[in-house]
């Protein structure tokens, strides 16, 4: 980012790290999802994020803000767009602090970075970047079950559907922040409340044939940083988020072939073999999916859950290619390699099924052509 682009650096909301959490939660309103935490002498400590607060199972409302901060990377005023995008993606944050002369001078929001980089998207369509077959919940699902679904699948929002699988809302753990921190004796009753009582009913949607560049304005106005992709019957068929678009921006401009990126809880010693597993898949199917693109692997460890010494991992794999194909898979398993193997296997199955369908369509077309030729004779 050059100095002429510094207009995308915006103001931020901040708080003293010694304040009790209960006094700060009210600051999470409207579009405020992250609060910068400082101590004396304006020393930057980290972020207090709405996402982090809502994903905690046990929180004391009187706990100090500094006890719940999230360490985040910072960028310079002249950092390149791909560097900024990778900083945001690395910690699943919505903005990144900009530092100059050792002081935080502002933040760059994900949506502002995307707008500043819109030329990258060209004529690409939503179907080339969306996650297909999103996890959904019904409007009668309890809040407790909804929260468990999000934690189990490591997701930040879900479409809400009725009994006919029609989209009626969108729900995020962020919508339950006040409930999670509540001291009310009725908290357990509130957890049994149906999500339809808390969900956002006015959902921002798009279709799979919309251009990505058109989604940027919609994403900025969407409460949950996501657009639900619907078909003609208003059934959710996909979801597209700022993360999906940031992954495109994060690829270094000089990259040739595939760009590989591993995020999350992967040890340095495991990094190379994890990447090798992804390389094997894209090389194996290069003639079908394309010879260049991106492969992102997000891994989250759940240390409290173990089996025979192996920690449970939740893995998300996303492959987008120069042929306009996108494959997304989630899985969990004990040990990062086991979880990743399952996710990659699912993508391989999808690629093979897609190829078989294309062959069948080609054969059907050829047979139709032959029949037409015979009829003319």
């Amino acid at each position: 980012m050059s100095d002429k682009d510094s207009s995308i650096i915006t103001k931020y909301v901040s708080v003293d790290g010694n304040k009790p959490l209960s006094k700060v939660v009210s600051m999470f309103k409207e579009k405020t999802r992250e609060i910068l935490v400082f101590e004396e002498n304006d020393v930057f400590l980290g972020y207090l994020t709405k996402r982090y607060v809502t994903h905690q199972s046990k929180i004391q409302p009187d706990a100090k803000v500094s006890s719940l901060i999230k360490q985040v990377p910072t960028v310079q005023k002249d950092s390149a767009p791909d560097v900024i995008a990778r900083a945001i993606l690395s910690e699943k944050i919505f903005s990144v602090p900009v530092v100059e002369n050792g002081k935080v001078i502002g933040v760059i929001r994900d949506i502002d970075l995307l707008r500043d980089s819109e030329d990258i998207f060209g004529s690409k369509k939503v179907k080339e970047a969306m996650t297909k077959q999103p996890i959904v919940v019904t409007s009668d699902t309890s809040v407790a079950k909804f929260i468990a679904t999000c934690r189990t699948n490591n997701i930040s929002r879900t479409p809400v559907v009725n009994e006919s699988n029609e989209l009626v809302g969108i729900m995020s753990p962020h919508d339950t922040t006040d409930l999670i921190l509540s001291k009310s004796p009725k908290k357990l009753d509130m957890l049994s409340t149906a999500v339809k009582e808390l969900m956002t009913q006015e959902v921002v949607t798009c279709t799979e044939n919309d251009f990505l560049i058109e989604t940027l304005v919609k994403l900025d106005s969407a409460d949950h940083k996501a657009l639900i992709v619907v078909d003609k019957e208003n059934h959710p068929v996909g979801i597209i988020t700022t993360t999906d678009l940031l992954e495109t921006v994060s690829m270094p401009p000089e990259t040739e072939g595939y760009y590989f990126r591993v995020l999350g809880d992967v040890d340095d010693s495991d990094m190379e073999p994890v990447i090798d597993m992804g390389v094997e898949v894209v090389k194996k199917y290069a003639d079908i999916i394309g010879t260049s693109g991106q492969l992102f692997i997000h891994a989250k460890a759940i240390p409290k859950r173990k089996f025979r010494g192996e920690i449970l991992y939740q893995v998300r794999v996303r492959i987008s290619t120069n042929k306009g194909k996108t494959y997304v898979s989630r899985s969990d398993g004990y040990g990062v390699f086991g979880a990743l193997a399952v996710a990659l296997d699912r993508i391989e199955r999808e690629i093979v099924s897609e190829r078989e369908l294309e062959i069948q369509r080609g054969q059907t077309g050829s047979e139709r052509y032959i029949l037409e030729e015979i009829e003319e004779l």
Side-chain angles (χ1 to χ4, degrees):
M1 184 183 66
S2 62
D3 288 341
K4 68 181 177 62
D5 298 320
S6 60
S7 59
I8 67 172
I9 299 176
T10 60
K11 296 180 180 179
Y12 54 84
V13 178
S14 64
V15 69
D16 185 330
N18 290 316
K19 280 195 173 183
L21 187 61
S22 58
K23 300 291 185 182
V24 178
V25 172
S26 61
M27 298 172 70
F28 287 124
K29 58 184 178 181
E30 297 179 356
K31 294 186 178 181
T32 300
R33 293 178 172 85
E34 296 159 339
I35 298 172
L36 277 68
V37 183
F38 292 85
E39 61 179 4
E40 294 180 3
N41 301 320
D42 292 330
V43 176
F44 177 59
L45 298 178
Y47 272 0
L48 177 68
T49 72
K50 196 171 185 180
R51 184 201 300 268
Y52 185 75
V53 170
T54 54
H55 276 70
Q56 301 305 303
S57 56
K58 293 181 180 180
I59 294 180
Q60 297 298 324
D62 295 330
K64 288 186 177 181
V65 168
S66 58
S67 67
L68 284 171
I69 61 171
K70 179 183 181 70
Q71 300 294 330
V72 297
T74 59
V75 297
Q76 301 296 316
K77 191 176 180 180
D78 59 352
S79 294
D82 59 294
V83 173
I84 300 170
R86 290 197 294 274
I88 294 174
L89 287 169
S90 67
E91 295 297 334
K92 292 187 176 181
I93 48 182
F94 295 107
S95 65
V96 63
V98 181
V99 175
E100 187 175 48
N101 298 323
K103 296 289 185 180
V104 176
I105 61 171
V107 297
I108 295 178
R109 298 191 309 148
D110 50 8
I111 193 65
D112 292 329
L113 175 64
L114 291 173
R115 283 181 169 179
D116 196 57
S117 311
E118 61 182 18
D119 291 347
I120 293 176
F121 304 116
S123 59
K124 290 183 179 180
K125 293 188 175 182
V126 168
K127 60 185 176 184
E128 298 177 44
M130 72 181 191
T131 298
K132 302 172 185 176
Q133 299 177 338
I135 294 171
V136 302
V137 296
T138 64
S139 56
D140 291 325
T141 300
S142 69
V143 170
K145 186 174 181 180
F146 162 75
I147 293 174
T149 298
C150 289
R151 287 176 178 164
T152 300
N153 294 283
N154 193 24
I155 54 178
S156 299
R157 80 284 287 172
T158 64
V160 182
V161 298
N162 60 19
E163 61 277 2
S164 301
N165 196 39
E166 296 169 329
L167 182 67
V168 294
I170 185 171
M171 184 77 173
S172 165
H174 300 164
D175 299 323
T176 66
T177 304
D178 292 337
L179 173 60
I180 291 174
L181 294 173
S182 173
K183 293 182 178 180
S184 170
K186 296 182 179 180
K187 182 174 180 177
L188 291 178
D189 292 336
M190 295 167 72
L191 286 171
S192 64
T193 300
V195 298
K196 61 186 175 185
E197 302 297 332
L198 293 176
M199 70 181 187
T200 299
Q201 296 184 23
E202 296 180 2
V203 188
V204 184
T205 64
C206 64
T207 70
E208 62 180 13
N209 288 316
D210 288 345
F211 290 105
L212 285 177
I213 200 168
E214 297 172 344
T215 67
L216 297 180
V217 174
K218 285 186 174 183
L219 275 170
D220 194 21
S221 63
D223 290 337
H224 296 82
K225 291 286 186 177
L227 302 181
I228 306 302
V229 187
V230 294
D231 60 17
K232 293 180 180 179
E233 286 74 39
N234 200 37
H235 299 151
V237 296
I239 186 169
I240 188 161
T241 69
T242 52
T243 297
D244 298 327
L245 302 184
L246 282 170
E247 288 177 350
T248 299
V249 178
S250 70
M251 185 165 68
E254 69 278 5
T255 301
E256 295 182 1
Y258 274 90
Y259 170 64
F260 297 89
R261 178 77 172 170
V262 180
L263 301 169
D265 306 323
V266 178
D267 294 336
D268 291 341
S269 59
D270 293 334
M271 194 69 70
E272 187 172 342
V274 162
I275 292 176
D276 287 343
M277 290 175 70
V279 170
E280 183 179 348
V281 172
V282 295
K283 281 188 174 181
K284 183 177 180 180
Y285 298 100
D287 60 325
I288 300 175
I289 66 175
T291 56
S292 64
Q294 301 169 298
L295 189 152
F296 279 83
I297 298 172
H298 299 255
K300 180 181 180 181
I302 314 295
K304 292 183 179 180
R305 297 182 62 181
K306 293 183 179 181
F307 180 72
R308 294 181 178 177
E310 292 281 6
I311 294 174
L312 180 68
Y313 272 84
Q314 295 174 336
V315 170
R316 173 181 177 268
V317 178
R318 177 186 177 84
I319 301 175
S320 55
T321 80
N322 62 317
K323 285 190 175 182
K325 296 179 181 292
T326 299
Y327 305 93
V328 181
S329 175
R330 285 186 173 87
S331 69
D332 53 26
Y334 291 96
V336 66
F337 299 114
L340 178 58
V342 174
L344 290 173
D345 180 67
R346 289 174 178 170
I347 287 179
E348 286 195 63
R349 290 173 183 271
E350 183 179 351
I351 293 171
V352 172
S353 297
E354 186 179 87
R355 180 59 173 166
E356 290 176 347
L357 184 60
E358 288 176 354
I359 292 174
Q360 290 175 4
R361 286 173 177 170
Q363 290 176 340
T364 302
S366 299
E367 291 167 359
R368 187 182 300 113
Y369 174 76
I370 293 172
L371 288 173
E372 289 174 352
E373 289 291 302
I374 293 174
E375 288 176 359
E376 288 182 5
L377 293 174

